[in-house]
Structure formats: structure tokens, C-alpha cells
Amino acid sequence: MIEDKSPQRTSIAQLGEFGLVDHLTKSFEINQASTLKGIGDDAAVLDFKDKKVVVSTDILVEGVHFDLGYMPLRHLGYKAVVVNVSDICAMNAKATQILVTIAVSNRFPLEALEELFDGITLAANEYKVDVIGGDTTSSQKGMIISITVIGEAEENEIVYRNGAGETDLLVVTGDIGAAYMGLQVLEREKQVFQVNPNSQPDLDAYTYLIERQLKPEARKDVRTLLHALEIKPTAMIDISDGLSSEIMHICKQSKVGCNLYEDKLPLDPQFMNVCEEFDLDATTVAINGGEDYELLFTIKMEDFEKIKGNPNFTIIGHMTQESEGIHLVTRANTRIPLKARGWNALSEE
């Protein structure tokens, strides 16, 4: 595709805050019966009747959580919604509404924000969530996106992190590690481009990994799949900060130990090939890389027959007594204490 060397740039200052909000939100539609009043008043009005409300929020900061050097704004808008919806999925609930807050510097014209909101709109339609409000403000440097997500569930459907039992099975959806390796590929190509701006990357061999990084999907389907199998997880969490970290969250809050089996980890072939190309240990990457947005959950032992062989789920371990600790059981049947080496937003490195 030929790049437009002189794209239109409309200063957002000429619209003003309210004009900007009207412009960016005009395409949002109402999908949920529980949305009585969305954008346009001092607050949104929701009606959940007898259902329980679940709420979560997440913030994405330029230079910390994303790099616009390789993250298209439309993809960023989509991903910002997905990472929040994933938190609601991890409660075994259904996301219904979101509020979007953005802070931008004056280096972003209106057209850039339109791209961002195109992605937000696409995700809102895909996940059937209503955009019901938010805020806009200026930033001294870069872009900040904060989304608050609201969801609903029957009280008996909600799953917390603290319900895992000592003999429960540990299950994961999809495959893991691909998003991290997608990031490594993008970072490498960025460095090549900085040295030689005329270099054009050939990314055909990395399509799946890059998609997992730039356009992840929340597992909204898992709630329905488990309901059809007549399985209610005893504990659940999404894999945003790395598998090892999430296992330790469940163990800590449920007061149990865990054995995670290396040979049971679900790894995509493209992921394995690129780990070899980068000379990285696939297991280390798989258990510590983040941003997969798959779901990790525990189920009772008696539910094994219901879930075994299901292509959507992989049993990767089992819970133990808290005193036994948290271990990775290698292919050589060696038990290694599991440590959380996943994403730490407050790391000084």
C-alpha cells in the first residue's frame, strides 16, 4: 500500500473537548438492554435488576505498555478494549459496558484519534459492549488510555481466584507464549529499521505471533463452553502477566500449592520455531511471557472426564497442599520451584 506523504491533520484544539467527544463517539451503538443512558449526561445509567455487577479497569501508557513505532492506532484501540474485557471473562461473567478515558499530547491530530476510536468501535461491536462514557484530557507527553469495564453475572456463576482446592486440576485455554515472542519480533524489526530505514521486514513467518501481540482476543467463548460442559471452575484468572505469576496468584489466594508439568504446556509450532531462532528456551518464555489473555482456571477432579480431549482446554497440572509449594515438573521429572518472572509494571529495569 502506498503511504500518503501528506495526510490530513486536523488540530483537535479547534473542536474543543465537547466537540471532540461528540465527533469520536457518534458511531457508538447501544447493544445492551441494561444500558438505560449512555454518553451525553453527567453519568451513565445502568439497570442490572437481579444480576451482580463486576467492574474492572486497566490503563495503557505509551512507552510502557505500547510502542507506536509498530502498534497501529486502530489495533491499539481494539487491544485496549480486549485487555479489559478479558478481566471480566476471568470472573466467568459477561462484559456489557465500557468507559473510555484518553489523554493525548498535541502531536496527535484528529485523524490519529479517529484511527484509535475505529479500533475501539470495532472491539465494542465484536464483544457487544456499550461505550457509555469516559473522559478526554491533554497529556504533556504521549498517549494514555484508561478503560473501565462493567459486566454482569448471576451470583452463583461468578468465579474468584480463591476457590482452588488441594486436588483440583489446573487448566489453560488456547496456547501460551506467542504474544511475548510476537513482541520480540517487532522489537527486532524496529531496531533493524532504525539502522536502515529503507529496510522492509518480511513478517510472513511470524504472522500468528504478531497477531497475538497486536490484536489479541479475550476468551468470551469460555463461559459458554464451560456451561455446556456443566463445569464451573473453582478459581480463575486471565494470563496477562505471565503463566507463572498467575499460578502464584491463585495459589496464594486459595492457600494451595501446585505442580505444573512442562510436557503439558500448549505451545504453537510457530512459537517453538521462533524461540529456536532467537535462541530462547521455549518453556521459560511460555511460563513467563505475558499478554496471552488466555484463561487459567482450576476444576474439581471429578470434572476430568467432561473436559479431557476438548480442543479448547489443556490440563497442565494439579493443585497440592500449600506446604508442598509451587513447582514446575520438567520433562526429566525434576521438580523446580516456580518463580514469578512475568510482567511487573513497576519494575525499575
Short mmCIF file of all heavy atoms in Angstrom, two decimals, residues 142-193:
data_model
loop_
_atom_site.label_atom_id
_atom_site.label_comp_id
_atom_site.label_asym_id
_atom_site.label_seq_id
_atom_site.Cartn_x
_atom_site.Cartn_y
_atom_site.Cartn_z
N GLY A 142 3.01 12.08 25.02
CA GLY A 142 2.50 10.78 24.63
C GLY A 142 1.01 10.58 24.86
O GLY A 142 0.26 11.51 25.11
N MET A 143 0.60 9.32 24.78
CA MET A 143 -0.80 8.92 24.87
C MET A 143 -1.03 7.99 26.05
O MET A 143 -0.21 7.13 26.35
CB MET A 143 -1.22 8.21 23.57
CG MET A 143 -2.62 7.66 23.56
SD MET A 143 -3.03 6.78 22.03
CE MET A 143 -3.18 8.16 20.88
N ILE A 144 -2.14 8.19 26.73
CA ILE A 144 -2.56 7.33 27.83
C ILE A 144 -4.01 6.94 27.59
O ILE A 144 -4.85 7.79 27.26
CB ILE A 144 -2.43 8.05 29.19
CG1 ILE A 144 -0.98 8.48 29.44
CG2 ILE A 144 -2.93 7.16 30.33
CD1 ILE A 144 -0.81 9.38 30.64
N ILE A 145 -4.30 5.66 27.71
CA ILE A 145 -5.66 5.15 27.54
C ILE A 145 -6.05 4.38 28.79
O ILE A 145 -5.34 3.47 29.21
CB ILE A 145 -5.76 4.21 26.33
CG1 ILE A 145 -5.19 4.86 25.07
CG2 ILE A 145 -7.21 3.78 26.10
CD1 ILE A 145 -5.03 3.89 23.93
N SER A 146 -7.17 4.76 29.36
CA SER A 146 -7.70 4.03 30.52
C SER A 146 -9.13 3.62 30.22
O SER A 146 -9.94 4.46 29.81
CB SER A 146 -7.66 4.91 31.78
OG SER A 146 -8.22 4.21 32.88
N ILE A 147 -9.40 2.34 30.40
CA ILE A 147 -10.76 1.84 30.15
C ILE A 147 -11.28 1.15 31.40
O ILE A 147 -10.58 0.37 32.04
CB ILE A 147 -10.78 0.87 28.95
CG1 ILE A 147 -10.52 1.66 27.65
CG2 ILE A 147 -12.11 0.11 28.86
CD1 ILE A 147 -10.60 0.83 26.38
N THR A 148 -12.51 1.49 31.74
CA THR A 148 -13.21 0.80 32.82
C THR A 148 -14.29 -0.07 32.19
O THR A 148 -15.03 0.39 31.32
CB THR A 148 -13.85 1.80 33.79
OG1 THR A 148 -12.83 2.58 34.41
CG2 THR A 148 -14.67 1.08 34.87
N VAL A 149 -14.34 -1.32 32.60
CA VAL A 149 -15.30 -2.25 32.02
C VAL A 149 -16.28 -2.73 33.09
O VAL A 149 -15.90 -2.93 34.25
CB VAL A 149 -14.58 -3.45 31.36
CG1 VAL A 149 -13.73 -4.21 32.37
CG2 VAL A 149 -15.57 -4.40 30.69
N ILE A 150 -17.52 -2.86 32.70
CA ILE A 150 -18.59 -3.30 33.58
C ILE A 150 -19.18 -4.58 33.00
O ILE A 150 -19.33 -4.70 31.78
CB ILE A 150 -19.68 -2.22 33.71
CG1 ILE A 150 -19.08 -0.93 34.28
CG2 ILE A 150 -20.84 -2.70 34.58
CD1 ILE A 150 -19.96 0.28 34.11
N GLY A 151 -19.49 -5.52 33.87
CA GLY A 151 -20.07 -6.76 33.40
C GLY A 151 -21.13 -7.27 34.36
O GLY A 151 -21.36 -6.68 35.42
N GLU A 152 -21.76 -8.35 33.97
CA GLU A 152 -22.83 -8.91 34.79
C GLU A 152 -22.75 -10.42 34.84
O GLU A 152 -22.19 -11.06 33.94
CB GLU A 152 -24.20 -8.48 34.24
CG GLU A 152 -24.49 -9.06 32.86
CD GLU A 152 -25.88 -8.70 32.33
OE1 GLU A 152 -26.40 -7.66 32.75
OE2 GLU A 152 -26.42 -9.47 31.51
N ALA A 153 -23.29 -10.97 35.91
CA ALA A 153 -23.36 -12.43 36.06
C ALA A 153 -24.32 -12.75 37.19
O ALA A 153 -24.56 -11.92 38.08
CB ALA A 153 -21.99 -13.02 36.36
N GLU A 154 -24.88 -13.95 37.13
CA GLU A 154 -25.63 -14.43 38.29
C GLU A 154 -24.63 -14.68 39.42
O GLU A 154 -23.47 -15.03 39.17
CB GLU A 154 -26.36 -15.73 37.95
CG GLU A 154 -27.36 -15.62 36.81
CD GLU A 154 -28.60 -14.82 37.17
OE1 GLU A 154 -28.81 -14.56 38.38
OE2 GLU A 154 -29.35 -14.45 36.24
N GLU A 155 -25.09 -14.51 40.65
CA GLU A 155 -24.18 -14.66 41.79
C GLU A 155 -23.52 -16.03 41.82
O GLU A 155 -22.33 -16.15 42.13
CB GLU A 155 -24.94 -14.42 43.10
CG GLU A 155 -24.03 -14.42 44.32
CD GLU A 155 -24.75 -13.99 45.58
OE1 GLU A 155 -26.00 -13.88 45.57
OE2 GLU A 155 -24.07 -13.74 46.59
N ASN A 156 -24.27 -17.07 41.46
CA ASN A 156 -23.71 -18.43 41.52
C ASN A 156 -22.79 -18.76 40.35
O ASN A 156 -22.19 -19.83 40.29
CB ASN A 156 -24.82 -19.48 41.61
CG ASN A 156 -25.73 -19.47 40.39
OD1 ASN A 156 -25.58 -18.65 39.50
ND2 ASN A 156 -26.69 -20.38 40.36
N GLU A 157 -22.67 -17.83 39.38
CA GLU A 157 -21.79 -18.05 38.23
C GLU A 157 -20.39 -17.48 38.45
O GLU A 157 -19.42 -17.92 37.83
CB GLU A 157 -22.37 -17.38 36.98
CG GLU A 157 -23.66 -17.98 36.48
CD GLU A 157 -24.22 -17.18 35.30
OE1 GLU A 157 -23.97 -15.96 35.22
OE2 GLU A 157 -24.92 -17.80 34.47
N ILE A 158 -20.27 -16.48 39.30
CA ILE A 158 -19.01 -15.75 39.45
C ILE A 158 -17.92 -16.65 40.03
O ILE A 158 -18.16 -17.41 40.98
CB ILE A 158 -19.20 -14.50 40.34
CG1 ILE A 158 -20.20 -13.54 39.67
CG2 ILE A 158 -17.87 -13.80 40.58
CD1 ILE A 158 -20.55 -12.34 40.52
N VAL A 159 -16.73 -16.57 39.44
CA VAL A 159 -15.59 -17.36 39.89
C VAL A 159 -14.49 -16.42 40.36
O VAL A 159 -14.12 -15.47 39.65
CB VAL A 159 -15.05 -18.27 38.76
CG1 VAL A 159 -13.82 -19.05 39.24
CG2 VAL A 159 -16.13 -19.22 38.28
N TYR A 160 -13.96 -16.68 41.56
CA TYR A 160 -12.89 -15.85 42.13
C TYR A 160 -11.55 -16.59 42.03
O TYR A 160 -11.48 -17.72 41.58
CB TYR A 160 -13.22 -15.52 43.58
CG TYR A 160 -14.53 -14.78 43.75
CD1 TYR A 160 -15.72 -15.48 44.02
CD2 TYR A 160 -14.60 -13.40 43.62
CE1 TYR A 160 -16.93 -14.81 44.16
CE2 TYR A 160 -15.80 -12.72 43.76
CZ TYR A 160 -16.96 -13.43 44.03
OH TYR A 160 -18.16 -12.76 44.17
N ARG A 161 -10.50 -15.94 42.50
CA ARG A 161 -9.18 -16.57 42.49
C ARG A 161 -8.95 -17.48 43.69
O ARG A 161 -7.98 -18.22 43.71
CB ARG A 161 -8.08 -15.49 42.49
CG ARG A 161 -8.07 -14.58 41.28
CD ARG A 161 -6.96 -13.54 41.42
NE ARG A 161 -6.93 -12.60 40.31
CZ ARG A 161 -6.08 -11.60 40.20
NH1 ARG A 161 -5.17 -11.41 41.15
NH2 ARG A 161 -6.12 -10.78 39.16
N ASN A 162 -9.81 -17.41 44.68
CA ASN A 162 -9.50 -18.05 45.96
C ASN A 162 -10.24 -19.36 46.21
O ASN A 162 -10.32 -19.82 47.35
CB ASN A 162 -9.82 -17.07 47.10
CG ASN A 162 -11.29 -16.70 47.17
OD1 ASN A 162 -12.09 -17.14 46.35
ND2 ASN A 162 -11.65 -15.88 48.14
N GLY A 163 -10.76 -19.99 45.15
CA GLY A 163 -11.58 -21.18 45.38
C GLY A 163 -10.92 -22.50 45.04
O GLY A 163 -11.56 -23.56 45.15
N ALA A 164 -9.65 -22.49 44.64
CA ALA A 164 -8.99 -23.74 44.23
C ALA A 164 -8.80 -24.68 45.41
O ALA A 164 -8.41 -24.26 46.50
CB ALA A 164 -7.65 -23.43 43.58
N GLY A 165 -9.04 -25.97 45.19
CA GLY A 165 -8.86 -26.97 46.22
C GLY A 165 -7.56 -27.75 46.02
O GLY A 165 -6.95 -27.71 44.95
N GLU A 166 -7.15 -28.50 47.02
CA GLU A 166 -5.84 -29.17 47.03
C GLU A 166 -5.70 -30.26 45.97
O GLU A 166 -4.58 -30.62 45.61
CB GLU A 166 -5.57 -29.76 48.42
CG GLU A 166 -5.38 -28.68 49.49
CD GLU A 166 -5.13 -29.28 50.86
OE1 GLU A 166 -5.20 -30.53 50.97
OE2 GLU A 166 -4.86 -28.51 51.81
N THR A 167 -6.79 -30.80 45.46
CA THR A 167 -6.70 -31.86 44.45
C THR A 167 -7.25 -31.40 43.09
O THR A 167 -7.40 -32.22 42.19
CB THR A 167 -7.46 -33.11 44.91
OG1 THR A 167 -8.85 -32.77 45.10
CG2 THR A 167 -6.89 -33.66 46.20
N ASP A 168 -7.51 -30.13 42.95
CA ASP A 168 -8.08 -29.63 41.70
C ASP A 168 -7.09 -29.73 40.54
O ASP A 168 -5.86 -29.70 40.74
CB ASP A 168 -8.50 -28.16 41.85
CG ASP A 168 -9.78 -28.00 42.67
OD1 ASP A 168 -10.35 -29.03 43.06
OD2 ASP A 168 -10.18 -26.85 42.92
N LEU A 169 -7.61 -29.81 39.34
CA LEU A 169 -6.81 -29.82 38.12
C LEU A 169 -6.60 -28.39 37.63
O LEU A 169 -7.49 -27.55 37.76
CB LEU A 169 -7.49 -30.64 37.02
CG LEU A 169 -7.77 -32.11 37.35
CD1 LEU A 169 -8.56 -32.75 36.21
CD2 LEU A 169 -6.46 -32.86 37.59
N LEU A 170 -5.43 -28.12 37.07
CA LEU A 170 -5.10 -26.80 36.55
C LEU A 170 -5.25 -26.83 35.03
O LEU A 170 -4.64 -27.67 34.36
CB LEU A 170 -3.67 -26.41 36.94
CG LEU A 170 -3.19 -25.01 36.54
CD1 LEU A 170 -3.99 -23.94 37.28
CD2 LEU A 170 -1.70 -24.85 36.84
N VAL A 171 -6.05 -25.93 34.49
CA VAL A 171 -6.40 -25.95 33.08
C VAL A 171 -6.13 -24.59 32.44
O VAL A 171 -6.32 -23.55 33.08
CB VAL A 171 -7.90 -26.30 32.90
CG1 VAL A 171 -8.26 -26.44 31.42
CG2 VAL A 171 -8.26 -27.57 33.67
N VAL A 172 -5.70 -24.60 31.18
CA VAL A 172 -5.49 -23.35 30.45
C VAL A 172 -6.19 -23.43 29.10
O VAL A 172 -6.33 -24.52 28.52
CB VAL A 172 -3.97 -23.06 30.28
CG1 VAL A 172 -3.33 -24.04 29.30
CG2 VAL A 172 -3.73 -21.63 29.84
N THR A 173 -6.64 -22.30 28.61
CA THR A 173 -7.24 -22.24 27.28
C THR A 173 -6.16 -21.91 26.24
O THR A 173 -5.13 -21.33 26.57
CB THR A 173 -8.33 -21.16 27.20
OG1 THR A 173 -7.74 -19.86 27.41
CG2 THR A 173 -9.39 -21.38 28.26
N GLY A 174 -6.41 -22.28 25.00
CA GLY A 174 -5.52 -21.89 23.90
C GLY A 174 -4.08 -22.31 24.06
O GLY A 174 -3.77 -23.37 24.59
N ASP A 175 -3.17 -21.46 23.56
CA ASP A 175 -1.74 -21.70 23.72
C ASP A 175 -1.10 -20.48 24.36
O ASP A 175 -1.72 -19.41 24.42
CB ASP A 175 -1.08 -22.01 22.36
CG ASP A 175 -1.25 -20.89 21.35
OD1 ASP A 175 -0.51 -19.90 21.42
OD2 ASP A 175 -2.16 -20.98 20.50
N ILE A 176 0.12 -20.62 24.84
CA ILE A 176 0.74 -19.55 25.61
C ILE A 176 2.13 -19.21 25.06
O ILE A 176 2.78 -20.03 24.43
CB ILE A 176 0.85 -19.94 27.10
CG1 ILE A 176 1.56 -21.27 27.26
CG2 ILE A 176 -0.54 -19.98 27.74
CD1 ILE A 176 1.78 -21.68 28.70
N GLY A 177 2.56 -17.99 25.34
CA GLY A 177 3.90 -17.54 24.98
C GLY A 177 3.99 -16.81 23.66
O GLY A 177 4.97 -16.10 23.40
N ALA A 178 2.99 -16.97 22.79
CA ALA A 178 3.08 -16.41 21.44
C ALA A 178 3.11 -14.89 21.44
O ALA A 178 3.83 -14.28 20.64
CB ALA A 178 1.91 -16.91 20.59
N ALA A 179 2.36 -14.25 22.31
CA ALA A 179 2.32 -12.79 22.33
C ALA A 179 3.69 -12.21 22.68
O ALA A 179 4.12 -11.21 22.10
CB ALA A 179 1.27 -12.31 23.33
N TYR A 180 4.37 -12.84 23.62
CA TYR A 180 5.71 -12.36 24.01
C TYR A 180 6.68 -12.47 22.84
O TYR A 180 7.47 -11.55 22.58
CB TYR A 180 6.22 -13.16 25.20
CG TYR A 180 7.62 -12.75 25.65
CD1 TYR A 180 7.79 -11.68 26.51
CD2 TYR A 180 8.73 -13.43 25.19
CE1 TYR A 180 9.06 -11.29 26.92
CE2 TYR A 180 10.01 -13.04 25.58
CZ TYR A 180 10.17 -11.98 26.45
OH TYR A 180 11.43 -11.60 26.83
N MET A 181 6.63 -13.58 22.12
CA MET A 181 7.55 -13.75 21.00
C MET A 181 7.18 -12.82 19.84
O MET A 181 8.04 -12.36 19.09
CB MET A 181 7.57 -15.20 20.53
CG MET A 181 8.30 -16.14 21.48
SD MET A 181 9.92 -15.53 22.04
CE MET A 181 10.82 -15.40 20.49
N GLY A 182 5.90 -12.50 19.71
CA GLY A 182 5.49 -11.51 18.73
C GLY A 182 6.11 -10.16 19.03
O GLY A 182 6.56 -9.44 18.12
N LEU A 183 6.17 -9.83 20.31
CA LEU A 183 6.80 -8.58 20.74
C LEU A 183 8.29 -8.59 20.42
O LEU A 183 8.86 -7.57 19.98
CB LEU A 183 6.58 -8.37 22.24
CG LEU A 183 7.20 -7.11 22.85
CD1 LEU A 183 6.62 -5.85 22.21
CD2 LEU A 183 7.00 -7.09 24.36
N GLN A 184 8.95 -9.72 20.63
CA GLN A 184 10.38 -9.81 20.34
C GLN A 184 10.66 -9.60 18.85
O GLN A 184 11.63 -8.93 18.48
CB GLN A 184 10.94 -11.17 20.79
CG GLN A 184 10.73 -11.48 22.26
CD GLN A 184 11.07 -10.31 23.18
OE1 GLN A 184 12.19 -9.80 23.17
NE2 GLN A 184 10.08 -9.88 23.95
N VAL A 185 9.81 -10.17 18.01
CA VAL A 185 9.97 -9.99 16.56
C VAL A 185 9.81 -8.52 16.19
O VAL A 185 10.61 -7.95 15.43
CB VAL A 185 8.94 -10.85 15.79
CG1 VAL A 185 8.95 -10.49 14.31
CG2 VAL A 185 9.24 -12.33 15.98
N LEU A 186 8.79 -7.87 16.74
CA LEU A 186 8.54 -6.46 16.42
C LEU A 186 9.67 -5.57 16.91
O LEU A 186 10.08 -4.63 16.22
CB LEU A 186 7.20 -6.03 17.04
CG LEU A 186 5.95 -6.64 16.39
CD1 LEU A 186 4.73 -6.40 17.26
CD2 LEU A 186 5.74 -6.09 14.99
N GLU A 187 10.18 -5.86 18.10
CA GLU A 187 11.29 -5.07 18.63
C GLU A 187 12.54 -5.24 17.77
O GLU A 187 13.27 -4.28 17.51
CB GLU A 187 11.59 -5.48 20.08
CG GLU A 187 10.56 -4.99 21.09
CD GLU A 187 10.71 -3.50 21.38
OE1 GLU A 187 11.69 -2.88 20.91
OE2 GLU A 187 9.83 -2.94 22.05
N ARG A 188 12.79 -6.46 17.30
CA ARG A 188 13.94 -6.70 16.44
C ARG A 188 13.81 -5.93 15.13
O ARG A 188 14.77 -5.29 14.68
CB ARG A 188 14.08 -8.19 16.16
CG ARG A 188 15.29 -8.53 15.27
CD ARG A 188 15.36 -10.00 14.93
NE ARG A 188 14.23 -10.41 14.07
CZ ARG A 188 14.05 -11.66 13.68
NH1 ARG A 188 14.87 -12.62 14.07
NH2 ARG A 188 13.01 -11.97 12.91
N GLU A 189 12.64 -5.98 14.53
CA GLU A 189 12.44 -5.29 13.26
C GLU A 189 12.51 -3.78 13.43
O GLU A 189 12.96 -3.06 12.53
CB GLU A 189 11.09 -5.70 12.65
CG GLU A 189 11.02 -7.16 12.28
CD GLU A 189 12.16 -7.61 11.37
OE1 GLU A 189 12.56 -6.83 10.49
OE2 GLU A 189 12.65 -8.74 11.56
N LYS A 190 12.10 -3.28 14.59
CA LYS A 190 12.22 -1.85 14.86
C LYS A 190 13.69 -1.42 14.90
O LYS A 190 14.07 -0.39 14.34
CB LYS A 190 11.54 -1.50 16.19
CG LYS A 190 11.68 -0.03 16.59
CD LYS A 190 11.13 0.22 17.97
CE LYS A 190 11.39 1.66 18.40
NZ LYS A 190 10.90 1.91 19.78
N GLN A 191 14.51 -2.24 15.55
CA GLN A 191 15.94 -1.93 15.62
C GLN A 191 16.60 -1.97 14.25
O GLN A 191 17.43 -1.13 13.92
CB GLN A 191 16.63 -2.90 16.58
CG GLN A 191 16.21 -2.71 18.04
CD GLN A 191 16.74 -3.81 18.94
OE1 GLN A 191 17.62 -4.57 18.56
NE2 GLN A 191 16.18 -3.89 20.14
N VAL A 192 16.18 -2.93 13.42
CA VAL A 192 16.70 -3.01 12.06
C VAL A 192 16.31 -1.77 11.27
O VAL A 192 17.12 -1.17 10.55
CB VAL A 192 16.18 -4.27 11.34
CG1 VAL A 192 16.54 -4.24 9.86
CG2 VAL A 192 16.74 -5.53 12.00
N PHE A 193 15.06 -1.33 11.43
CA PHE A 193 14.56 -0.15 10.72
C PHE A 193 15.31 1.11 11.15
O PHE A 193 15.60 1.99 10.33
CB PHE A 193 13.06 0.01 10.99
CG PHE A 193 12.47 1.24 10.35
CD1 PHE A 193 12.14 1.25 9.00
CD2 PHE A 193 12.23 2.38 11.11
CE1 PHE A 193 11.60 2.39 8.42
CE2 PHE A 193 11.69 3.52 10.53
CZ PHE A 193 11.37 3.52 9.18
#
